[in-house]
Amino acid sequence: MGAATDAVEVLEERIRRRSRGFFVSVGALTAVAAGLMIWVSTEAPKTASWVPYYVVTVVPGSFILLVWVMRRGEARTIGFVRRLRLRLRDVGVHRGTRLVLVFDNGLVCTLGGSMMWMWLFSTPAGTPASPARVRDAMQMRRGFWRMRAIGIVQPKRGPEDARRELTAIRERVGAKRAMAALYERPTTAPASPVAPAWASAALFAGTPSNVDPSRWAAELDAVRAFLERLRTEHYPPGLHGSHR
């Protein structure tokens, strides 16, 4: 819990620092553009008489709107993470844009815009893994790219029980769309001491920004159980491909 709290605080500061740098850069570019437009209006007053009005009204108004939108998104992200911190082991940003959350039940969540991926990775031996840090989770995810899909669950595809279970979760969290898949590392892939033998994932898209994060907190164990059942019940070893 202490490590997760520290990670959340580091994440908050990183998001705020990145936002400040972005605002300074945009502000400087805006000032340069405004100065250039004013210069053009003085050099060609008849053809650019509208420029002073544009510089006085539209330019600062657009900058203020951008700041408001960015601040709102920043506050939403920080608030989301704070509400889930009791279930977090670690949190961070991957490649500067994608938020990564590692939960205490082994789930790994990656967030980008309105898209939320929930991952359950296995160990190389095939048992469900439980990463402790973002770097561990991302190392497992890199091994995912050598995998192939052996089962997909969509509204009209996959085992009926799996479709029904995924739909129920989607409705409870308020997502507009959801799909899930089970992936397996081919036996022909190079041996690796860290790559997972399989991974299951659920994508929730179009989640409203005003959804209470506590709804997600209440579903973490249900999502984890569903992703494990993809491997053990819906697409068990030996029956892969029968419901694809």
Side-chain angles (χ1 to χ4, degrees):
M1 176 61 188
T5 300
D6 293 342
V8 170
E9 293 174 351
V10 170
L11 175 68
E12 292 177 5
E13 178 56 31
R14 181 175 179 179
I15 290 175
R16 292 193 178 100
R17 186 168 59 247
R18 185 177 60 181
S19 295
R20 287 195 295 268
F22 177 79
F23 294 146
V24 169
S25 299
V26 172
L29 290 174
T30 301
V32 171
L36 180 61
M37 295 174 73
I38 292 174
W39 177 81
V40 170
S41 68
T42 58
E43 292 296 317
K46 293 183 179 180
T47 59
S49 58
W50 54 270
V51 170
Y53 302 100
Y54 184 87
V55 171
V56 171
T57 59
V58 177
V59 172
S62 299
F63 183 72
I64 292 172
L65 178 62
L66 176 63
V67 171
W68 179 80
V69 171
M70 290 287 292
R71 289 295 189 189
R72 187 167 179 263
E74 173 187 301
R76 188 187 306 129
T77 299
I78 292 175
F80 183 84
V81 174
R82 282 178 175 173
R83 293 291 295 274
L84 293 174
R85 73 165 66 200
L86 292 178
R87 298 296 307 270
L88 285 173
R89 285 180 175 170
D90 195 18
V91 61
V93 178
H94 181 58
R95 293 183 178 177
T97 57
R98 190 173 296 274
L99 187 65
V100 182
L101 299 94
V102 180
F103 293 104
D104 58 4
N105 63 353
L107 278 183
V108 177
C109 173
T110 57
L111 283 170
S114 62
M115 310 283 281
M116 175 182 286
W117 283 94
M118 289 288 193
W119 297 86
L120 179 64
F121 297 103
S122 82
T123 64
T127 57
S130 187
R133 295 287 182 265
V134 167
R135 64 175 178 271
D136 302 329
M138 290 299 96
Q139 187 176 41
M140 293 177 182
R141 190 170 182 271
R142 282 194 293 272
F144 157 77
W145 299 115
R146 290 184 176 272
M147 295 184 179
R148 59 184 178 88
I150 57 176
I152 296 176
V153 179
Q154 293 176 330
K156 296 183 179 181
R157 184 178 181 183
E160 183 177 351
D161 290 346
R163 298 201 309 266
R164 187 164 48 244
E165 187 175 358
L166 181 61
T167 298
I169 295 173
R170 176 187 64 77
E171 292 175 347
R172 291 196 296 268
V173 299
K176 294 181 180 179
R177 296 175 300 279
M179 65 165 290
L182 176 66
Y183 303 90
E184 188 177 69
R185 186 176 175 83
T187 56
T188 56
S192 171
V194 295
W198 57 267
S200 52
L203 169 65
F204 298 93
T207 304
S209 59
N210 59 349
V211 168
D212 188 341
S214 62
R215 291 172 63 176
W216 274 110
E219 294 301 319
L220 289 176
D221 292 327
V223 173
R224 201 270 189 199
F226 167 73
L227 292 179
E228 186 170 3
R229 276 195 290 272
L230 281 181
R231 173 70 177 185
T232 60
E233 297 179 17
H234 302 310
Y235 296 101
L239 295 179
H240 294 161
S242 60
H243 297 290
R244 286 187 67 178

